[in-house]
Amino acid sequence: MVKIFKATINGKEVNAKKGETIIQLCKRQGIEIPHLCHDDKLHPIGACRLCVVEVEGARSLLSSCTTPIMPGMKVKTHTPKILEARRINLELLLANHDLNCTICVRNLDCKLQTYSKDMMVNKIRYEGDKRISIVDETSSSIRRDNNKCILCEKCIRVCNEQQTVYAIGLQNRGFNTKVMPPQGKNMSTSNCINCGQCVIACPTGALSEISEIQPVIDALNSGKILVAQTAPSIRATLGECFGMPAGTPVTGKMVSALKQIGFDYVFDTDLGADLTIIEEATEFVKRFKANKNLPMITTCCPAWVKFGEQFFFEELGHMSSCRSPQAMLSSLVKTYFAKKIKKKPEDIILVDIMPCTAKKYEIKRPEFTGEADYVLTTVEIAKLLKQLNVDFVNLHNTDFDHPLGESTGAGAIFGRTGGVMEAAIRTAADFISGKDLKEIEYKQVQGMDHVKEATLKLAGKEIKIGVVHTLGEARKIMEDIKAGTSPYHFIEIMACYGGCIGGGGQPRPHDDITLMKRAKALNKEDKSKKIRKSHKNPTALKLYKDYLGVPGGKKAHKLLHTYYTKKKHF
Amino acid sequence: MKANKITVCGGGSCRSQKSDSIFKNLKKEVKAAKLDVTVEHTGCHGMCEVGPLVVVGQNKKEILYTKVTAEDAKDIVNSAKKGTILKRLIFEHEEDGHQAYVEDIDFYKYQTRYVMRRTGQIDPYKIKHYLGTGGFEGLKLALVMKPEEVIAMVKESNLRGRGGAGFNTGMKWSFIAREEGERILIANADEGDPGSFMDRTLMEGDPFAVIEGMTIAAWAVGSEKAHIYVRAEYPDSIKTLTNAINEAKKEGFLGKNICGIKGFNFDIEIFEGAGAFICGEETALISSLEGKRGMPRPKPPFPAQNGVYGKPTNINNVKTYAYVSHILREGPESFKQYGTEKSPGTAVLCLTGKIKHTGVVEVPMGISLHDIVYKIGGGIRNNKKLKAVLTGGPSGGCIPADKIKEVTVDYESITAAGSIMGSGGMLILDEDDNMVEIANFFVEFTKSESCGKCTPCREGTYRMYELLQKISKHKAKQEDLDNLKVLAKYIQENSLCGLGQSAPNPVLTTIKHFGNEYDDKIKNKKPTYFITESCTGCGLCAKKCPVQCISGKIKQQHTIDQSKCIHCGICYKVCPTKAIIIEK
Amino acid sequence: MEGCSQNGSSCNKANVVVELQKIQEKHGYLPRAELVKVSRRLKIPAVHIYGVATFYSQFKLEQPAKYIISVCEGTACHVRGSVELLNEIKKQADIVPSETSEDGLFTLEIVRCLGLCASAPVMTVNGKIYSKVKKEEVKDILAEYKKSKKVKA
């Protein structure tokens, strides 16, 4: 039972819960206190001081994100004194900021801009020295511009607390404080695994994705064959970029839009997902029967793969050798499809539309061959569509192209945490039991819990499955495996909170309500499909018959599997 | 009657002027003269300004010899043998003439050495000196009381924390005493205020008192582990404390089963700071102790609930613990008999600046600043006029000369005057000091010591510094001064920790009391200095110029590089032929 | 690698500050190779090691010269002419604070309050204390070291 007591906010008596901070209580009361460094999922630090409030009896203004509400506390959140304090605060941040908003990637989508406008900051009285930094564009995925950093430490807390990657941290002291990788490293040589969660967290333009929009425009002008493939979660989030409510499925419009701007073929990564399931389930059944290299871990998430290669290389035998869905499909585009349309692979430009900044890194992995040429994230493709005057909201629906456009419901749910596992089990269960099982929804691995697990009974055996998201949880799982205490047989790991629907390339915000709506859209798509098991996908079956051979076979291995190498970490 | 003891001041100041050689020579001479007298090292005796100091005890009085050199050893010993006074080395007061005995000298006469009683009297390395002067009696008395009774006694004495915040120590102990689990004690010896060396003087003069006080605290609140956080710039303090801990352990006053009480175990570890003023703030200190960046944490939770590695932690200044050792031994009344009702006891202050007698002194709370400056401090050097007293270091404020009779050294009076007690540093300024420059200096310090976490302090103190620089160089407008005031107030009210909250104090108080000096800098055009043809090329101005902006050949007219000139006017003052003119 | 949160209190292992102090005592500064070693040995991420190494004034990431001149810029020293002293040293050794002289002999740094306020202005060379230093004495003090003979502390 949570203790409830009375407190006063802006003169009104309200019920407060023990353990809440002032900002949390105010949010429940519908009072939005401006904040820059506060985030519900991160440990509060009280650094930005924008959320200060007046508490009767206190000597100074207190940060509402760190101060717990106490019985009888009297709080004021929006007095003229507080407004003046917030304005000076913003002035100081602006005085040490790159103010070229017009050419900033977050123009009109920046908290600093919004607050300055809302609080009528109309002059900067305190100008002088500025912290000047070189923009770090060495990474394939993340761009770091410290000239726009307001030292809210959200990226650091996400990277260290939530993801436990420790790529970046604070260095120096006072005015010269900077957020950076350890000295001598830049974003590309640091521990960064490219998940882009820092980009999502950043309130300004300090962190953004490495843009590939221009190369894609050039490609569209090049006269070559343009192929696009769209990841499972894009169809649940792209609409938000055009003002549609969160979780509006926009599959058909998405294909139309891509066709409109000049893509010759639009394929579905969900087909790649189906192939992944067929390969992975085959791999799992093999291991399970031999009781070797268990638990097996999914590998469609490139951020997680790099994480594993860096921190848990000795345990990498547990990883599935399957490539990710986009990598499998890319491989087929540049071989099978190229042959089919009688073109050389060099004459085909393949653009992946992905939810994820890590995919930009994935396509450049030396361990892959025959890969996609560019990756555009959800927000990037939205920008491109807008530039090319696509009236997205009013588009009609178009189907994916053949031969690589047919997918099942299992492929659709890849985009959410638990989706890969659910899809895999639908196939693995049939393989192990030898039956066509009717029960295909596994509710235990749905939802936003950090760790989800279930025990399945198949053909007289027990299979324990586990699903985690965020790399902090992944680390715990791997520590268990290292210690030999892991109870699971099959584990799904997603680096991003919520899975790909919460990826580093997805539009903001990423609060639980938005993520759940997006997950619902994917579940809806799954339910709308006639075929909901990957191994029943006619196109997939035809691919194996005509080209790939047997699942897990030699050719399948060459085109659809990969290997891992040890990567340094610091 | 011949002398019975000779002590050599081993305070930092005297040691930096080769007091070790004096000690060696005295020992040699005493042996040669076959004099039955021990020569001992002590901690800082006090009158650093006229050091190195040697004290000779004879005829039940103490003779103070000043500005001693190693070569004086023979003469000192001869006088000691004869029982006479060596006149050439005794202290000479400007008005009162020669004063041979410590008890006659104003600097000492007006002090009340309660917590500093042994500093300058005993050898800080020798536990037997400590034991011979009542050492560890307080602990022994505490150990026959119940822990709650000890806390009650400290509470009753109303000892307020001597680190600057002035919170009732007994009450602080009661907070941690009621927490569950392992409790940690910390002694804050990160004396970062520039111009403060009281804690250092105590640690190097009477380190055992700190140890005893901590052990009493351990008994009272139930702690088995403590750290003393000493700043790295005090290697000598680390030496004396390390020795004190080892000796105390040998004699059973630390370690396992202290004083024979089974189960009462207590260990103290020394942690060296690594050069960050912010680590004097308790939550930053805790972070640093945990091996992290010294970044303050928001309070609540307070260290008493959530401190080092999440454990309940009590932090007190080293002086506070030392006070406790005396209060337990002599009773709360021994402490309360001095001072005022709300600020009982004594204050250990550090007098620096334009005062005749700089050094560490201990006075009863409630003494007026006037008495500090004129009676103890001996007044202003070089016959200048007092301008202001700055208390509390870079976190404090200034008290103008016309207020020093009414402002007394206690928490209430100083706070009412717009400043803070702080750790006890007192900077005395005279008519030649410019208050804008002083504010500038302090803000330059705080801005470079800011940890960088919160916006008001990280950005704000730097901007205050830029504005003050602008004002100082006569490049500012009225608008800049107005903006400075607004900014200073904002930083005070919005910063996360004490550093930011108090960094504007020097600025706001100097603007309040010496606003005219700010106005002068703004309104007056910068005084520009020119060297005329009357220049004889003697080169004196070039030599004295603090920024080397004057050039010229010998016996030829010199010139001032106006772009580098900081308009200090030194060249104008020193020119022997008055060849330099001012243009306003 | 053990997780070690910057903000939480879960880091109950060896103390980074103490470890870095040991390294600096041995080498005179913090060589990069040693920082990598300590990170691996303590299983603490490099960002935390560097975060600590760059926070505290005591730690040097670059090898200093043979002789480190520290000039105290505390309040008492400041009002008693430390600025003059600093300028004279700058002139005589031809360096600026935080830099090393061309001849590689001296590194100049400013420190805040050594606690010897009564002997202001104060400077130290490799720890050896010079107090009540007059501008005129600087040349001779530096000359002792220029001869490259080690002066007894």
Side-chain angles (χ1 to χ4, degrees):
Chain A
M1 261 298 281
V2 183
K3 203 168 153 202
I4 308 273
F5 48 78
K6 298 261 185 236
T8 311
I9 309 283
N10 294 334
K12 183 171 152 214
E13 212 182 39
V14 297
N15 283 332
K17 291 187 202 156
K18 184 166 189 227
E20 280 192 302
T21 56
I22 297 178
I23 204 172
Q24 287 169 333
L25 171 60
C26 287
K27 192 170 182 189
R28 283 200 303 114
Q29 297 295 320
I31 302 170
E32 188 65 42
I33 298 181
H35 55 271
L36 285 166
C37 71
H38 168 70
D39 185 302
D40 281 319
K41 295 201 191 77
L42 302 172
H43 186 88
I45 56 171
C48 73
R49 315 306 292 171
L50 206 62
C51 71
V52 288
V53 291
E54 279 181 46
V55 174
E56 203 177 273
R59 261 188 315 164
S60 56
L61 296 177
L62 302 177
S63 47
S64 55
C65 64
T66 56
T67 311
I69 191 81
M70 296 301 226
M73 215 180 219
K74 293 202 176 95
V75 179
K76 292 209 184 114
T77 64
H78 287 80
T79 63
K81 178 179 179 175
I82 295 174
L83 174 62
E84 192 55 34
R86 289 184 184 148
R87 292 174 73 196
I88 299 178
N89 194 316
L90 291 167
E91 270 183 73
L92 288 174
L93 289 173
L94 293 171
N96 214 332
H97 198 85
D98 176 346
L99 291 177
N100 275 323
C101 297
T102 338
I103 54 173
C104 175
V105 66
R106 293 288 291 273
N107 190 20
L108 303 179
D109 176 32
C110 162
K111 275 192 130 180
L112 195 59
Q113 253 186 348
T114 314
Y115 285 141
S116 300
K117 181 170 132 251
D118 290 346
M119 291 191 237
M120 306 170 299
V121 176
N122 53 18
K123 55 185 184 291
I124 302 174
R125 287 169 283 185
Y126 307 106
E127 291 216 81
D129 287 348
K130 272 188 169 165
R131 283 182 291 271
I132 305 287
S133 306
I134 301 172
V135 177
D136 185 345
E137 290 175 307
T138 56
S139 160
S140 33
S141 307
I142 315 276
R143 179 182 188 269
R144 171 139 220 132
D145 183 356
N146 273 340
N147 299 306
K148 299 177 183 167
C149 177
I150 56 168
L151 290 166
C152 67
E153 294 184 47
K154 280 176 85 174
C155 54
I156 296 178
R157 282 177 283 158
V158 162
C159 190
N160 293 354
E161 281 174 32
Q162 187 181 299
Q163 302 294 72
T164 66
V165 172
Y166 309 109
I168 46 174
L170 289 175
Q171 284 188 46
N172 307 330
R173 179 174 88 193
F175 193 78
N176 300 318
T177 309
K178 272 199 179 144
V179 178
M180 46 194 269
Q183 281 195 15
K185 300 278 156 230
N186 54 37
M187 289 303 284
S188 67
T189 50
S190 68
N191 287 356
C192 179
I193 42 83
N194 308 298
C195 65
Q197 293 301 289
C198 56
V199 175
I200 299 298
C202 184
T204 69
L207 283 163
S208 53
E209 70 279 332
I210 294 281
S211 175
E212 291 180 75
I213 296 180
Q214 190 56 50
V216 172
I217 294 176
D218 294 341
L220 289 167
N221 282 336
S222 67
K224 294 196 177 169
I225 305 283
L226 265 290
V227 179
Q229 64 162 313
T230 58
S233 62
I234 311 293
R235 64 211 68 194
T237 60
L238 186 56
E240 290 171 47
C241 299
F242 296 91
M244 298 167 94
T248 314
V250 293
T251 319
K253 292 193 206 285
M254 176 178 70
V255 180
S256 300
L258 290 167
K259 280 286 179 68
Q260 187 178 323
I261 63 170
F263 280 94
D264 300 301
Y265 297 90
V266 181
F267 292 144
D268 193 352
T269 312
D270 288 17
L271 169 59
D274 283 331
L275 290 169
T276 305
I277 292 301
I278 296 172
E279 289 295 319
E280 203 151 328
T282 307
E283 194 185 2
F284 175 68
V285 170
K286 201 168 163 192
R287 289 200 204 179
F288 185 69
K289 282 195 173 138
N291 200 15
K292 255 181 146 182
N293 279 341
L294 292 175
M296 186 168 109
I297 313 174
T298 60
T299 50
C300 28
C301 174
W304 143 241
V305 168
K306 188 168 190 261
F307 183 87
E309 288 176 308
Q310 275 175 198
F311 299 107
F312 294 100
F313 188 67
E314 275 79 43
E315 285 72 39
L316 280 194
H318 293 275
M319 295 242 230
S320 156
S321 59
C322 291
R323 294 194 193 190
S324 66
Q326 76 81 15
M328 286 196 179
L329 205 71
S330 303
S331 191
L332 289 173
V333 166
K334 296 275 179 147
T335 53
Y336 172 76
F337 177 68
K339 278 203 185 94
K340 214 160 189 210
I341 60 169
K342 295 188 177 56
K343 291 276 176 194
K344 283 186 259 179
E346 311 82 81
D347 294 330
I348 299 175
I349 296 183
L350 173 58
V351 180
D352 287 359
I353 315 293
M354 295 284 130
C356 162
T357 44
K359 291 291 174 189
K360 291 178 186 273
Y361 161 80
E362 188 180 41
I363 62 171
K364 297 197 174 88
R365 276 176 73 95
E367 294 89 346
F368 283 3
T369 52
E371 260 300 351
D373 297 284
Y374 306 107
V375 167
L376 288 183
T377 62
T378 319
V379 296
E380 280 182 290
I381 191 62
K383 280 191 185 151
L384 183 56
L385 294 174
K386 284 177 189 163
Q387 280 178 49
L388 294 173
N389 204 27
V390 174
D391 181 9
F392 188 83
V393 176
N394 294 316
L395 283 177
H396 56 277
N397 292 337
T398 309
D399 283 333
F400 285 104
D401 288 309
H402 289 293
L404 298 174
E406 185 177 21
S407 65
T408 69
I413 53 175
F414 256 60
R416 60 156 171 86
T417 170
V420 177
M421 181 57 76
E422 211 178 314
I425 290 299
R426 287 180 192 177
T427 298
D430 278 7
F431 282 7
I432 292 176
S433 66
K435 300 186 189 130
D436 181 8
L437 295 171
K438 291 280 182 287
E439 182 64 55
I440 55 168
E441 282 196 23
Y442 295 91
K443 289 232 173 342
Q444 311 98 308
V445 296
Q446 294 178 8
M448 288 297 158
D449 283 348
H450 277 104
V451 182
K452 302 179 267 288
E453 50 186 31
T455 310
L456 311 167
K457 292 196 173 61
L458 291 165
K461 297 212 173 82
E462 264 193 16
I463 303 179
K464 199 141 194 232
I465 55 175
V467 170
V468 295
H469 52 142
T470 74
L471 292 171
E473 293 300 330
R475 184 178 283 276
K476 289 187 203 156
I477 293 275
M478 294 311 288
E479 296 286 354
D480 284 344
I481 292 177
K482 202 171 182 163
T485 58
S486 179
Y488 304 112
H489 296 102
F490 199 3
I491 303 172
E492 174 204 290
I493 293 183
M494 295 286 173
C496 298
Y497 182 77
C500 309
I501 46 175
Q506 297 281 33
R508 292 181 199 84
H510 284 207
D511 58 281
D512 278 11
I513 295 175
T514 307
L515 292 175
M516 288 198 280
K517 287 193 180 144
R518 294 175 181 175
K520 222 172 167 182
L522 294 178
N523 291 340
K524 212 171 156 188
E525 170 126 349
D526 170 29
K527 291 198 178 94
S528 75
K529 295 258 181 173
K530 261 196 274 172
I531 304 174
R532 297 175 69 189
K533 293 183 185 181
S534 297
H535 59 287
K536 302 250 184 197
N537 184 332
T539 304
L541 293 171
K542 190 164 192 293
L543 277 168
Y544 276 105
K545 184 159 161 264
D546 291 348
Y547 192 71
L548 288 168
V550 253
K554 212 172 170 188
K555 192 160 190 185
H557 240 277
K558 184 169 171 225
L559 292 174
L560 307 178
H561 287 247
T562 182
Y563 61 95
Y564 306 108
T565 46
K566 186 169 189 181
K567 301 213 162 50
K568 264 194 178 164
H569 69 265
F570 303 97
Chain B
M1 243 209 305
K2 58 180 188 222
N4 54 8
K5 80 165 182 179
I6 301 179
T7 58
V8 179
C9 175
S13 206
C14 292
R15 248 180 313 109
S16 74
Q17 291 170 81
K18 318 248 189 319
S19 67
D20 281 343
S21 315
I22 301 172
F23 181 78
K24 272 198 203 116
N25 282 9
L26 279 169
K27 273 205 116 131
K28 207 171 71 182
E29 295 299 332
V30 158
K31 196 170 179 193
K34 293 198 178 63
L35 192 57
D36 183 21
V37 149
T38 46
V39 182
E40 299 279 5
H41 256 135
T42 65
C44 175
H45 196 265
M47 273 187 109
C48 308
E49 205 57 49
V50 293
L53 302 173
V54 169
V55 176
V56 176
Q58 64 189 40
N59 301 330
K60 293 200 180 130
K61 288 190 180 193
E62 289 185 342
I63 307 170
L64 180 71
Y65 290 128
T66 63
K67 299 203 174 122
V68 178
T69 64
E71 291 70 44
D72 295 323
K74 195 164 188 180
D75 290 346
I76 292 176
V77 169
N78 280 340
S79 302
K81 194 164 185 182
K82 290 185 234 158
T84 59
I85 298 173
L86 186 58
K87 284 215 170 67
R88 66 179 175 83
L89 287 180
I90 60 175
F91 174 67
E92 184 172 355
H93 192 272
E94 266 183 18
E95 287 148 25
D96 302 341
H98 285 97
Q99 294 172 321
Y101 298 111
V102 173
E103 61 191 43
D104 293 331
I105 301 171
D106 281 357
F107 182 83
Y108 296 103
K109 206 158 74 175
Y110 293 105
Q111 288 193 46
T112 306
R113 293 189 66 103
Y114 180 85
V115 80
M116 301 295 279
R117 67 184 74 183
R118 294 191 193 93
T119 305
Q121 302 295 320
I122 64 164
D123 186 328
Y125 283 92
K126 298 193 174 147
I127 196 170
K128 66 171 193 263
H129 283 202
Y130 187 68
L131 290 166
T133 50
F136 289 113
E137 292 301 317
L139 174 62
K140 288 183 193 150
L141 282 168
L143 293 177
V144 298
M145 293 161 70
K146 292 206 197 95
E148 320 72 271
E149 290 171 342
V150 176
I151 295 179
M153 183 181 271
V154 177
K155 226 185 206 171
E156 196 206 315
S157 72
N158 203 2
L159 167 66
R160 293 172 72 163
R162 291 304 196 249
F167 195 79
N168 183 304
T169 307
M171 195 168 274
K172 210 173 185 183
W173 290 10
S174 69
F175 293 154
I176 185 179
R178 56 174 185 239
E179 295 293 323
E180 301 271 327
E182 188 187 346
R183 296 162 207 151
I184 310 275
L185 292 182
I186 297 179
N188 187 343
D190 188 51
E191 189 174 48
D193 279 11
S196 288
F197 52 100
M198 307 76 70
D199 292 3
R200 174 193 182 151
T201 307
L202 176 68
M203 289 190 283
E204 292 170 21
D206 190 9
F208 288 102
V210 177
I211 307 297
E212 184 180 348
M214 291 176 78
T215 315
I216 294 172
W219 174 255
V221 309
S223 165
E224 288 199 354
K225 197 174 162 91
H227 302 273
I228 306 182
Y229 189 103
V230 190
R231 58 196 296 253
E233 293 87 333
Y234 286 175
D236 294 319
S237 299
I238 295 173
K239 277 198 203 127
T240 51
L241 286 169
T242 308
N243 176 73
I245 291 171
N246 291 339
E247 292 296 305
K249 227 176 186 167
K250 275 192 216 156
E251 300 294 320
F253 294 113
L254 269 185
K256 295 224 177 336
N257 304 320
I258 293 172
C259 288
I261 296 188
K262 212 157 179 234
F264 179 38
N265 309 327
F266 182 55
D267 266 310
I268 303 179
E269 257 177 39
I270 296 184
F271 185 93
E272 274 183 56
F277 171 70
I278 183 62
C279 291
E281 197 275 340
E282 49 181 29
T283 58
L285 191 156
I286 289 174
S287 276
S288 184
L289 210 59
E290 292 177 355
K292 301 183 188 136
R293 291 162 63 89
M295 313 280 274
R297 301 168 187 178
K299 297 193 271 206
F302 293 91
Q305 283 84 46
N306 189 333
V308 182
Y309 299 129
K311 302 179 190 160
T313 304
N314 179 70
I315 304 180
N316 276 123
N317 181 277
V318 277
K319 298 193 291 292
T320 312
Y321 285 115
Y323 272 103
V324 165
S325 71
H326 299 289
I327 291 173
L328 260 293
R329 184 181 68 252
E330 297 177 348
E333 283 311 315
S334 74
F335 177 75
K336 288 208 289 200
Q337 66 176 306
Y338 307 112
T340 68
E341 199 198 322
K342 286 207 176 135
S343 304
T346 58
V348 182
L349 308 172
C350 192
L351 305 180
T352 56
K354 302 299 182 65
I355 197 156
K356 283 216 188 98
H357 302 304
T358 57
V360 174
V361 302
E362 187 176 359
V363 295
M365 289 275 200
I367 188 172
S368 73
L369 281 181
H370 180 273
D371 285 352
I372 301 266
V373 173
Y374 291 104
K375 282 207 177 125
I376 297 181
I380 310 297
R381 34 177 59 211
N382 298 330
N383 283 320
K384 299 275 181 175
K385 265 188 13 214
L386 171 73
K387 188 181 222 176
V389 176
L390 263 84
T391 66
S395 317
C398 70
I399 296 167
D402 58 7
K403 289 209 161 39
I404 61 161
K405 281 210 173 122
E406 60 195 67
V407 176
T408 51
V409 177
D410 59 77
Y411 294 95
E412 288 66 40
S413 180
I414 294 195
T415 313
S419 183
I420 61 166
M421 264 296 279
S423 54
M426 297 226 164
L427 178 67
I428 284 91
L429 301 171
D430 70 15
E431 57 194 273
D432 286 341
D433 289 304
N434 184 286
M435 299 313 276
V436 179
E437 301 306 327
I438 294 291
N440 209 338
F441 174 76
F442 278 139
V443 171
E444 206 250 315
F445 175 75
T446 38
K447 75 117 168 77
S448 51
E449 294 295 330
S450 166
C451 77
K453 185 170 185 177
C454 74
T455 313
C457 181
R458 178 187 71 241
E459 308 290 334
T461 55
Y462 197 88
R463 301 298 175 210
M464 272 206 304
Y465 171 68
E466 285 179 329
L467 282 170
L468 282 165
Q469 284 281 295
K470 214 173 162 189
I471 294 172
S472 159
K473 292 189 175 139
H474 300 263
K475 293 192 173 124
K477 297 185 272 242
Q478 180 60 39
E479 186 185 52
D480 293 309
L481 182 59
D482 297 335
N483 288 343
L484 176 61
K485 286 190 232 176
V486 168
L487 180 62
K489 200 114 208 298
Y490 155 82
I491 298 171
Q492 231 181 16
E493 290 171 352
N494 280 269
S495 296
L496 191 152
C497 83
L499 189 151
Q501 287 161 3
S502 58
N505 288 352
V507 180
L508 289 170
T509 51
T510 51
I511 291 178
K512 180 172 177 196
H513 296 292
F514 298 96
N516 58 306
E517 294 194 23
Y518 283 86
D519 292 337
D520 281 349
K521 292 259 186 187
I522 290 170
K523 286 182 191 139
N524 297 347
K525 280 206 331 227
K526 24 184 184 177
T528 319
Y529 297 93
F530 292 102
I531 302 179
T532 65
E533 287 149 5
S534 319
C535 172
T536 57
C538 71
L540 186 60
C541 56
K543 234 174 143 184
K544 293 284 180 186
C545 175
V547 295
Q548 281 101 48
C549 74
I550 304 180
S551 57
K553 296 206 175 92
I554 306 283
K555 298 221 174 110
Q556 287 185 22
Q557 183 177 357
H558 281 45
T559 43
I560 297 171
D561 183 347
Q562 298 295 343
S563 67
K564 290 200 186 127
C565 176
I566 59 163
H567 314 283
C568 64
I570 288 180
C571 57
Y572 174 77
K573 285 191 196 129
V574 304
C575 177
T577 57
K578 303 258 184 288
I580 302 184
I581 54 163
I582 314 173
E583 259 180 35
K584 284 229 173 142
Chain C
M1 185 171 278
E2 275 132 341
C4 183
S5 158
Q6 274 266 32
N7 289 310
S9 41
S10 55
C11 235
N12 211 346
K13 321 293 173 201
N15 195 299
V16 178
V17 174
V18 174
E19 294 297 321
L20 295 184
Q21 283 169 333
K22 284 187 199 157
I23 295 174
Q24 179 145 309
E25 205 179 315
K26 189 169 173 200
H27 298 267
Y29 73 113
L30 300 175
R32 225 185 103 74
E34 292 296 320
L35 293 180
V36 171
K37 265 196 229 165
V38 99
S39 165
R40 293 205 189 285
R41 185 165 51 87
L42 300 181
K43 293 193 168 54
I44 291 178
V47 276
H48 286 191
I49 306 284
Y50 273 98
V52 171
T54 56
F55 182 84
Y56 295 100
S57 311
Q58 188 189 43
F59 296 132
K60 304 186 211 322
L61 288 166
E62 272 163 29
Q63 186 157 28
K66 196 167 176 191
Y67 301 111
I68 302 174
I69 307 173
S70 306
V71 178
C72 180
E73 256 283 288
T75 324
C77 290
H78 183 83
V79 298
R80 295 252 200 128
S82 66
V83 179
E84 253 195 22
L85 177 62
L86 187 64
N87 287 330
E88 185 64 21
I89 297 173
K90 278 190 208 170
K91 193 163 108 183
Q92 294 290 342
D94 193 24
I95 31 171
V96 288
S98 308
E99 275 185 20
T100 301
S101 61
E102 286 253 335
D103 55 14
L105 215 49
F106 299 112
T107 299
L108 177 61
E109 61 178 29
I110 293 180
V111 290
R112 301 285 184 181
C113 202
L114 296 165
L116 294 166
C117 312
S119 327
V122 176
M123 67 180 254
T124 66
V125 182
N126 281 8
K128 181 172 176 193
I129 301 172
Y130 296 89
S131 58
K132 293 192 173 158
V133 185
K134 298 197 185 70
K135 204 167 105 173
E136 299 74 53
E137 295 168 353
V138 171
K139 193 165 182 194
D140 292 329
I141 294 174
L142 295 183
E144 280 177 57
Y145 295 96
K146 278 182 181 163
K147 282 194 213 137
S148 278
K149 281 191 196 138
K150 231 196 167 181
V151 183
K152 263 194 281 193

